[in-house]
Short mmCIF file of all heavy atoms in Angstrom, two decimals:
data_model
loop_
_atom_site.label_atom_id
_atom_site.label_comp_id
_atom_site.label_asym_id
_atom_site.label_seq_id
_atom_site.Cartn_x
_atom_site.Cartn_y
_atom_site.Cartn_z
N SER A 2 -0.30 -13.16 -8.22
CA SER A 2 1.16 -13.22 -8.09
C SER A 2 1.71 -12.63 -6.82
O SER A 2 2.88 -12.81 -6.48
CB SER A 2 1.86 -12.49 -9.28
OG SER A 2 1.41 -13.07 -10.48
N GLY A 3 0.80 -11.98 -6.01
CA GLY A 3 1.15 -11.34 -4.77
C GLY A 3 1.84 -10.12 -4.98
O GLY A 3 2.64 -9.55 -4.06
N PHE A 4 1.67 -9.34 -6.21
CA PHE A 4 2.24 -8.03 -6.39
C PHE A 4 1.53 -7.01 -5.63
O PHE A 4 0.29 -7.27 -5.28
CB PHE A 4 2.22 -7.74 -7.91
CG PHE A 4 3.17 -8.77 -8.69
CD1 PHE A 4 2.95 -8.90 -10.08
CD2 PHE A 4 4.14 -9.49 -8.13
CE1 PHE A 4 3.62 -9.80 -10.73
CE2 PHE A 4 4.84 -10.45 -8.80
CZ PHE A 4 4.68 -10.53 -10.19
N GLU A 5 1.90 -5.85 -5.44
CA GLU A 5 1.39 -4.84 -4.53
C GLU A 5 0.90 -3.62 -5.35
O GLU A 5 1.58 -2.93 -6.09
CB GLU A 5 2.37 -4.40 -3.47
CG GLU A 5 2.79 -5.52 -2.46
CD GLU A 5 1.66 -5.94 -1.57
OE1 GLU A 5 0.70 -5.26 -1.46
OE2 GLU A 5 1.96 -7.01 -0.90
N HIS A 6 -0.31 -3.36 -5.11
CA HIS A 6 -1.02 -2.12 -5.67
C HIS A 6 -1.28 -0.98 -4.52
O HIS A 6 -1.99 -1.25 -3.74
CB HIS A 6 -2.34 -2.59 -6.31
CG HIS A 6 -3.02 -1.49 -7.07
ND1 HIS A 6 -3.85 -0.66 -6.52
CD2 HIS A 6 -2.93 -1.19 -8.42
CE1 HIS A 6 -4.30 0.25 -7.49
NE2 HIS A 6 -3.90 -0.05 -8.61
N SER A 7 -0.62 0.11 -4.75
CA SER A 7 -0.68 1.12 -3.60
C SER A 7 -2.06 1.48 -3.27
O SER A 7 -2.36 1.71 -2.02
CB SER A 7 0.25 2.32 -3.94
OG SER A 7 -0.14 2.84 -5.24
N ILE A 8 -2.94 1.72 -4.24
CA ILE A 8 -4.20 2.21 -3.91
C ILE A 8 -5.14 1.15 -3.27
O ILE A 8 -5.79 1.45 -2.34
CB ILE A 8 -4.88 2.85 -5.22
CG1 ILE A 8 -4.04 3.88 -5.92
CG2 ILE A 8 -6.18 3.50 -4.72
CD1 ILE A 8 -3.44 4.95 -5.07
N ALA A 9 -4.97 0.04 -3.65
CA ALA A 9 -5.64 -1.16 -3.04
C ALA A 9 -5.19 -1.35 -1.54
O ALA A 9 -5.91 -1.52 -0.64
CB ALA A 9 -5.44 -2.39 -3.80
N ASP A 10 -3.84 -1.06 -1.46
CA ASP A 10 -3.32 -1.32 -0.05
C ASP A 10 -3.74 -0.18 0.85
O ASP A 10 -3.77 -0.32 1.99
CB ASP A 10 -1.73 -1.31 -0.16
CG ASP A 10 -1.18 -2.73 -0.60
OD1 ASP A 10 -1.93 -3.73 -0.60
OD2 ASP A 10 -0.12 -2.66 -1.11
N ILE A 11 -4.04 0.97 0.30
CA ILE A 11 -4.64 2.14 1.14
C ILE A 11 -5.98 1.61 1.66
O ILE A 11 -6.19 1.88 2.91
CB ILE A 11 -4.97 3.36 0.24
CG1 ILE A 11 -3.56 4.04 -0.01
CG2 ILE A 11 -5.80 4.40 1.08
CD1 ILE A 11 -3.74 5.10 -1.23
N SER A 12 -6.72 0.93 0.88
CA SER A 12 -8.09 0.44 1.40
C SER A 12 -7.81 -0.63 2.56
O SER A 12 -8.51 -0.54 3.56
CB SER A 12 -9.00 -0.11 0.31
OG SER A 12 -8.43 -1.27 -0.31
N TYR A 13 -6.85 -1.47 2.36
CA TYR A 13 -6.56 -2.48 3.49
C TYR A 13 -6.01 -1.75 4.70
O TYR A 13 -6.38 -2.12 5.70
CB TYR A 13 -5.65 -3.50 2.92
CG TYR A 13 -5.97 -4.20 1.67
CD1 TYR A 13 -5.11 -4.42 0.70
CD2 TYR A 13 -7.39 -4.61 1.45
CE1 TYR A 13 -5.42 -5.08 -0.54
CE2 TYR A 13 -7.72 -5.19 0.32
CZ TYR A 13 -6.81 -5.43 -0.69
OH TYR A 13 -7.11 -5.97 -1.90
N LEU A 14 -5.06 -0.83 4.44
CA LEU A 14 -4.59 0.01 5.50
C LEU A 14 -5.76 0.56 6.38
O LEU A 14 -5.81 0.52 7.66
CB LEU A 14 -3.72 1.02 5.06
CG LEU A 14 -3.05 2.01 5.89
CD1 LEU A 14 -1.86 2.59 5.34
CD2 LEU A 14 -3.97 3.23 6.31
N CYS A 15 -6.70 1.26 5.73
CA CYS A 15 -7.89 1.94 6.44
C CYS A 15 -8.88 0.91 6.95
O CYS A 15 -9.26 1.10 8.06
CB CYS A 15 -8.51 2.81 5.39
SG CYS A 15 -7.49 4.25 5.02
N MET A 16 -9.15 -0.09 6.25
CA MET A 16 -10.01 -1.10 6.77
C MET A 16 -9.49 -1.94 7.98
O MET A 16 -10.21 -2.27 8.89
CB MET A 16 -10.43 -2.18 5.73
CG MET A 16 -11.28 -1.73 4.64
SD MET A 16 -11.56 -3.04 3.37
CE MET A 16 -12.01 -2.07 1.96
N GLY A 17 -8.19 -2.06 8.05
CA GLY A 17 -7.49 -2.65 9.14
C GLY A 17 -7.15 -1.73 10.28
O GLY A 17 -6.56 -2.15 11.17
N LEU A 18 -7.32 -0.41 9.95
CA LEU A 18 -6.83 0.66 10.99
C LEU A 18 -5.37 0.39 11.35
O LEU A 18 -4.97 0.53 12.43
CB LEU A 18 -7.79 0.55 12.20
CG LEU A 18 -9.24 0.75 11.99
CD1 LEU A 18 -10.01 0.46 13.28
CD2 LEU A 18 -9.64 2.09 11.28
N ARG A 19 -4.63 0.17 10.20
CA ARG A 19 -3.09 -0.05 10.48
C ARG A 19 -2.30 1.03 9.80
O ARG A 19 -1.64 0.84 8.76
CB ARG A 19 -2.88 -1.40 9.84
CG ARG A 19 -3.52 -2.57 10.54
CD ARG A 19 -2.87 -2.88 11.84
NE ARG A 19 -1.46 -2.96 11.86
CZ ARG A 19 -0.91 -4.18 11.62
NH1 ARG A 19 -1.68 -5.30 11.53
NH2 ARG A 19 0.44 -4.24 11.55
N PHE A 20 -2.28 2.16 10.49
CA PHE A 20 -1.55 3.22 9.90
C PHE A 20 0.06 3.15 10.00
O PHE A 20 0.71 3.97 9.50
CB PHE A 20 -2.05 4.61 10.51
CG PHE A 20 -3.48 4.78 10.29
CD1 PHE A 20 -4.49 4.39 11.23
CD2 PHE A 20 -3.88 5.23 9.01
CE1 PHE A 20 -5.74 4.52 10.92
CE2 PHE A 20 -5.19 5.25 8.81
CZ PHE A 20 -6.22 4.99 9.66
N ASP A 21 0.37 2.00 10.71
CA ASP A 21 1.95 1.73 10.71
C ASP A 21 2.33 1.18 9.41
O ASP A 21 3.53 1.03 9.22
CB ASP A 21 2.20 0.67 11.86
CG ASP A 21 1.35 -0.55 11.60
OD1 ASP A 21 0.22 -0.58 11.12
OD2 ASP A 21 1.89 -1.65 11.97
N PHE A 22 1.51 1.02 8.50
CA PHE A 22 1.71 0.51 7.13
C PHE A 22 2.08 1.65 6.20
O PHE A 22 2.54 1.43 5.00
CB PHE A 22 0.60 -0.27 6.57
CG PHE A 22 0.97 -1.02 5.33
CD1 PHE A 22 1.95 -2.00 5.14
CD2 PHE A 22 0.16 -0.74 4.12
CE1 PHE A 22 2.00 -2.71 4.05
CE2 PHE A 22 0.44 -1.44 2.98
CZ PHE A 22 1.39 -2.34 2.93
N LEU A 23 1.95 2.85 6.62
CA LEU A 23 2.11 4.06 5.79
C LEU A 23 3.51 4.13 5.07
O LEU A 23 3.58 4.30 3.75
CB LEU A 23 1.84 5.31 6.40
CG LEU A 23 0.41 5.92 6.51
CD1 LEU A 23 0.25 7.06 7.28
CD2 LEU A 23 -0.10 6.18 5.09
N PRO A 24 4.62 3.97 5.80
CA PRO A 24 5.95 3.87 5.14
C PRO A 24 6.02 2.81 3.90
O PRO A 24 6.56 3.21 2.92
CB PRO A 24 6.91 3.62 6.22
CG PRO A 24 6.23 4.08 7.48
CD PRO A 24 4.65 3.81 7.21
N ALA A 25 5.59 1.67 4.34
CA ALA A 25 5.54 0.64 3.28
C ALA A 25 4.66 0.97 2.12
O ALA A 25 5.07 0.75 0.97
CB ALA A 25 5.21 -0.72 3.92
N LEU A 26 3.51 1.59 2.40
CA LEU A 26 2.74 2.02 1.30
C LEU A 26 3.39 2.96 0.31
O LEU A 26 3.25 2.85 -0.88
CB LEU A 26 1.43 2.64 1.88
CG LEU A 26 0.43 3.31 0.93
CD1 LEU A 26 -0.26 2.12 0.07
CD2 LEU A 26 -0.49 4.23 1.61
N LEU A 27 4.18 3.88 0.91
CA LEU A 27 4.82 4.83 -0.03
C LEU A 27 5.84 4.14 -0.92
O LEU A 27 6.09 4.56 -1.98
CB LEU A 27 5.43 6.06 0.84
CG LEU A 27 4.43 6.82 1.57
CD1 LEU A 27 5.10 7.84 2.45
CD2 LEU A 27 3.45 7.52 0.54
N LEU A 28 6.58 3.23 -0.29
CA LEU A 28 7.50 2.45 -1.05
C LEU A 28 6.83 1.64 -2.14
O LEU A 28 7.35 1.58 -3.28
CB LEU A 28 8.29 1.46 -0.05
CG LEU A 28 9.43 0.74 -0.65
CD1 LEU A 28 10.57 1.58 -0.93
CD2 LEU A 28 9.88 -0.37 0.51
N ILE A 29 5.66 1.10 -1.85
CA ILE A 29 4.89 0.30 -2.89
C ILE A 29 4.45 1.32 -4.01
O ILE A 29 4.59 1.01 -5.27
CB ILE A 29 3.67 -0.34 -2.30
CG1 ILE A 29 4.20 -1.54 -1.48
CG2 ILE A 29 2.70 -0.74 -3.33
CD1 ILE A 29 3.11 -2.00 -0.44
N ALA A 30 4.00 2.53 -3.61
CA ALA A 30 3.64 3.49 -4.65
C ALA A 30 4.92 3.88 -5.59
O ALA A 30 4.68 4.08 -6.72
CB ALA A 30 3.14 4.74 -3.95
N LEU A 31 6.02 3.96 -4.94
CA LEU A 31 7.18 4.31 -5.81
C LEU A 31 7.50 3.10 -6.74
O LEU A 31 7.92 3.36 -7.90
CB LEU A 31 8.44 4.52 -4.88
CG LEU A 31 8.43 5.83 -4.14
CD1 LEU A 31 9.66 5.94 -3.14
CD2 LEU A 31 8.56 7.01 -5.16
N GLY A 32 7.27 2.01 -6.28
CA GLY A 32 7.43 0.68 -7.16
C GLY A 32 6.52 0.69 -8.29
O GLY A 32 6.77 0.45 -9.43
N ASN A 33 5.16 0.99 -7.86
CA ASN A 33 4.18 1.09 -8.98
C ASN A 33 4.53 2.10 -10.05
O ASN A 33 4.41 1.81 -11.24
CB ASN A 33 2.80 1.56 -8.42
CG ASN A 33 2.17 0.44 -7.49
OD1 ASN A 33 1.31 0.85 -6.79
ND2 ASN A 33 2.47 -0.81 -7.61
N ALA A 34 5.00 3.23 -9.64
CA ALA A 34 5.41 4.34 -10.53
C ALA A 34 6.65 3.78 -11.38
O ALA A 34 6.67 4.03 -12.58
CB ALA A 34 5.78 5.61 -9.78
N ALA A 35 7.62 3.20 -10.73
CA ALA A 35 8.86 2.80 -11.44
C ALA A 35 8.52 1.72 -12.57
O ALA A 35 8.99 1.82 -13.62
CB ALA A 35 9.78 2.22 -10.51
N GLY A 36 7.64 0.71 -12.16
CA GLY A 36 7.36 -0.17 -13.13
C GLY A 36 6.61 0.21 -14.34
O GLY A 36 6.99 0.07 -15.58
N SER A 37 5.62 1.08 -14.07
CA SER A 37 4.76 1.68 -15.20
C SER A 37 5.65 2.68 -16.13
O SER A 37 5.54 2.68 -17.30
CB SER A 37 3.67 2.58 -14.50
OG SER A 37 2.70 2.88 -15.46
#
């Protein structure tokens, strides 16, 4: 469905060496928490 999982996204961030994604990652983590 294209939904976002914060811990999986950490792995993509690190594999891609894309630390510019950190602010978006924190937003996704908040979304994960809110839904659950």
Side-chain angles (χ1 to χ4, degrees):
S2 297
F4 302 156
E5 298 289 349
H6 185 275
S7 56
I8 310 305
D10 284 340
I11 290 167
S12 68
Y13 306 135
L14 176 156
C15 293
M16 285 178 205
L18 305 174
R19 292 293 303 274
F20 301 99
D21 57 328
F22 188 63
L23 273 171
L26 175 72
L27 296 176
L28 189 64
I29 290 164
L31 287 174
N33 290 161
S37 190

